[in-house]
Amino acid sequence: MKLPRKLHIKSYGCQMNVYDAQRMVDTLAGEGFVETAGVDDADLVILNTCHIREKASEKVYSELGRLRVAKDEAARQGRRMNIAVAGCVAQAEGNEIIHRAPVVDVVVGPQSYHHLPELLARAEANGHALETEFPIEDKFAFLPPPKPAAIRARGISSFVTIQEGCDKFCTFCVVPYTRGAEVSRPVAKIIDDVKRLAEHGVREITLIGQNVNAYHGEGPDGRAWPLGTLLHHLAALPGIVRLRYSTSHPRDIDETLIEAHRDIPAVMPFVHLPVQSGSDRVLAAMNRKHTARDYRRAIDRFRAVRQDIAFSSDFIVGFPGETEEDFRATLDLVTQIGYAGAYSFKYSPRPG
């Protein structure tokens, strides 16, 4: 009897990467892999990477240095350990990863991880395999559904990707170049995913996307459905008790989303709505295409229908050219909104 191969996967960065990691596990389960918590006994180690900040990117190379030692030890034991770098660093740096860290066998971008079995076979034959193109086909059409046991093991909450990519081109952000243009999944596919999860015990769904409230997937009626309409239909599915979504953009809030918060008990009274800065001058330099006043109005629209609604946000401190006055404007905004939480970062220079 052939023993299963062991897979260890480590994710950095956003919720999308956590979801992608789970789907890689589902894909490789069909190839005889089972997850292991440690690196030492793994036959395949995948680093699922983030490229937003320099520190997150450099952590990958530090980890690869440690993995080289583990790979050498596996070889001494007569085992082959494969190492793959996936995600946004893979997409952005491609061949440079193999140049800097020859220990890596496979480099695969976030739109191509459904090709992992084929890439591993290529690496076995050729030493290395790389795929960082944006494939024409939709990866979700090729990903196997998670097995019931895997769904149950992950608990009562689950992520479901409904939208990927970004067309906003904020000047500080690499996402349009690593995740590609905005693409929304068809409504029917999302409903199928959520039904399958609910049938196996999931009760809380978090819909995720780089700009999740820009969702415009094709509905059963042939029209593009906004996020609010999708939420109404998902809330009606048996077993679904709570619905969340992340991450939103202030420019993509429409009336159907506001109404969903007003009318659907399953939609949790919480919105993650990044603003980055409270200064109009800095927001313009960031190419955010909204002002601080626009942002406050968006908050007011939600609060008008749900007074108990909570907000979190993202902030960049030290954006090029930011003054003390600009920074005080951000602090004023924080005080006025009264956030439940925030992700705050110093500006990180990135290539391009």
Side-chain angles (χ1 to χ4, degrees):
M1 179 179 171
K2 188 177 180 181
L3 292 174
R5 291 180 288 176
K6 294 183 178 180
L7 162 67
H8 177 78
I9 185 163
K10 182 173 182 177
S11 280
Y12 305 79
C14 66
Q15 291 173 327
M16 188 76 81
N17 268 14
V18 175
Y19 174 84
D20 285 349
Q22 292 175 349
R23 300 315 307 270
M24 287 184 220
V25 171
D26 297 334
T27 297
L28 291 167
E31 303 297 313
F33 282 94
V34 296
E35 273 194 278
T36 180
V39 167
D40 293 340
D41 63 339
D43 300 292
L44 171 61
V45 178
I46 301 175
L47 302 182
N48 192 26
T49 61
C50 173
H51 200 250
I52 288 291
R53 295 183 305 282
E54 184 176 27
K55 186 175 180 181
S57 183
E58 287 303 315
K59 273 184 182 178
V60 174
Y61 290 102
S62 297
E63 188 69 27
L64 288 172
R66 289 187 284 271
L67 288 176
R68 179 178 57 79
V69 176
K71 187 171 185 175
D72 289 344
E73 179 59 30
R76 280 192 288 272
Q77 297 172 6
R79 288 192 302 113
R80 178 184 172 110
M81 176 189 286
N82 284 304
I83 297 172
V85 176
C88 291
V89 172
Q91 186 69 43
E93 301 193 14
N95 262 318
E96 178 65 15
I97 294 170
I98 294 172
H99 176 72
R100 284 184 62 177
V103 68
V104 173
D105 302 289
V106 172
V107 176
V108 57
Q111 303 306 328
S112 300
Y113 62 75
H114 56 300
H115 292 156
L116 264 170
E118 173 193 329
L119 292 169
L120 288 168
R122 276 167 43 194
E124 193 81 31
N126 304 322
H128 298 289
L130 180 144
E131 185 167 331
T132 54
E133 298 299 318
F134 289 111
I136 296 171
E137 76 270 10
D138 172 16
K139 71 182 177 191
F140 292 101
F142 293 86
L143 290 170
K147 294 181 178 179
I151 296 172
R152 289 191 291 270
R154 290 167 187 165
I156 63 168
S157 298
S158 184
F159 294 132
V160 173
T161 293
I162 66 168
Q163 180 271 343
E164 280 200 278
C166 184
D167 295 340
K168 300 296 190 291
F169 290 94
C170 300
T171 57
F172 57 80
C173 187
V174 74
V175 165
Y177 307 99
T178 58
R179 289 275 181 174
E182 285 183 4
V183 177
S184 295
R185 297 180 64 204
V187 169
K189 299 287 187 184
I190 296 166
I191 288 177
D192 285 347
D193 283 356
V194 174
K195 279 182 177 178
R196 184 179 299 107
L197 293 169
E199 286 168 2
H200 297 289
V202 172
R203 296 294 173 258
E204 178 179 88
I205 298 291
T206 301
L207 306 176
I208 56 175
Q210 268 78 40
N211 284 305
V212 71
N213 61 332
Y215 178 79
H216 54 277
E218 183 181 0
D221 57 3
R223 298 181 180 181
W225 282 21
L227 177 59
T229 303
L230 177 65
L231 287 168
H232 272 281
H233 282 74
L234 295 180
L237 296 177
I240 297 303
V241 177
R242 291 181 175 180
L243 289 168
R244 304 179 186 273
Y245 59 91
S246 186
T247 291
S248 298
H249 194 285
R251 289 177 52 211
D252 292 321
I253 297 163
D254 68 3
E255 201 56 36
T256 68
L257 187 56
I258 300 297
E259 291 169 356
H261 277 275
R262 182 191 68 195
D263 298 337
I264 308 174
V267 175
M268 293 292 95
F270 177 83
V271 178
H272 181 61
L273 193 63
V275 66
Q276 308 300 352
S277 173
S279 162
D280 287 349
R281 196 182 67 83
V282 174
L283 288 170
M286 290 176 166
N287 195 35
R288 290 288 289 174
K289 297 187 174 71
H290 65 78
T291 64
R293 186 180 183 189
D294 294 334
Y295 183 85
R296 291 186 181 94
R297 284 174 173 169
I299 297 288
D300 289 343
R301 290 174 69 193
F302 283 109
R303 285 183 168 155
V305 299
R306 283 296 302 261
Q307 291 184 4
D308 62 339
I309 198 164
F311 296 92
S312 63
S313 195
D314 295 349
F315 297 92
I316 296 174
V317 177
F319 188 81
E322 184 185 65
T323 65
E324 277 297 320
E325 185 179 357
D326 295 322
F327 181 61
R328 282 196 299 271
T330 300
L331 295 183
D332 288 344
L333 180 71
V334 170
T335 302
Q336 290 162 11
I337 302 300
Y339 291 103
Y343 299 91
S344 305
F345 305 98
K346 64 180 181 179
Y347 177 76
S348 177
R350 307 304 291 126

